[in-house]
Amino acid sequence: MYRDSTTDLETALGKTRPDEMETWLKAHQQSLADEAHPFAAYMRELFKQKTVTQQEVFLKADIPERYGYRLIAQAKKTAQRDIVLRICFAAGFTLKEAQRALKLYGMSELYARIPRDAALIVAFNNGVHEVEEVNEMLVSNGLDPLKPCGSRE
């Protein structure tokens, strides 16, 4: 994936002077996100790392394939955080990976003080990767299930 961790990059930036920025950028090029499509690059890299295809993920997430490809490529934008979460669960993301995906997409990360988000955090932390299983857990605790593709928030 990336050569340097975010913490390593932040540490190096803390020691970098403005006149050294060009050198820093060259030295850490392999660790920087694609500026034009950071979400797409991140998702594709994680899919590759987890040895899942986009097609498999969209099927498990119950997202139309064509729509899913356009979302990942950022050719189509959604305001539905649940769609991104469905993809993260279906791809087998960890909580940390899902939080980063949400952030890169421009959405708020899961927040422990919000009951539904807390339940989703528990699902990620316990390796629940089936959307139906996540929804069953949410509903059994009196919370709204992950919205299907095409529904409005």
Side-chain angles (χ1 to χ4, degrees), residues 115-117 119 135 137-145:
R116 185 171 183 262
D117 283 6
N135 281 340
M137 185 187 82
L138 290 168
V139 170
S140 71
N141 285 285
L143 303 166
D144 290 335

Side-chain angles (χ1 to χ4, degrees), residues 32-141:
L32 301 177
D34 172 4
E35 285 186 54
H37 297 88
F39 175 78
Y42 180 71
M43 297 299 276
R44 287 185 182 123
E45 182 63 35
L46 276 182
F47 291 165
K48 182 178 174 184
Q49 189 179 64
K50 294 181 180 298
T51 63
V52 294
T53 66
Q54 290 182 59
Q55 183 180 26
E56 292 169 329
V57 171
F58 301 145
L59 184 63
K60 284 180 69 177
D62 195 24
I63 294 173
E65 196 173 331
R66 184 172 177 214
Y67 180 69
Y69 283 116
R70 294 186 74 212
L71 282 176
I72 297 296
Q74 295 181 285
K76 177 79 177 161
K77 196 78 167 141
T78 182
Q80 295 183 46
R81 186 171 169 235
D82 283 1
I83 297 301
V84 176
L85 287 167
R86 281 175 166 270
I87 292 169
C88 292
F89 277 113
F93 283 16
T94 65
L95 174 60
K96 185 176 179 180
E97 292 164 342
Q99 296 285 50
R100 181 151 173 77
L102 288 167
K103 188 174 184 176
L104 287 172
Y105 201 83
M107 296 180 163
S108 61
E109 296 178 35
L110 296 173
Y111 184 55
R113 292 188 187 275
I114 298 171
R116 185 171 183 262
D117 283 6
L120 293 169
I121 289 169
V122 168
F124 277 114
N125 285 339
N126 285 278
V128 179
H129 299 299
E130 299 298 325
V131 172
E132 285 183 33
E133 194 176 339
V134 172
N135 281 340
E136 287 172 13
M137 185 187 82
L138 290 168
V139 170
S140 71
N141 285 285

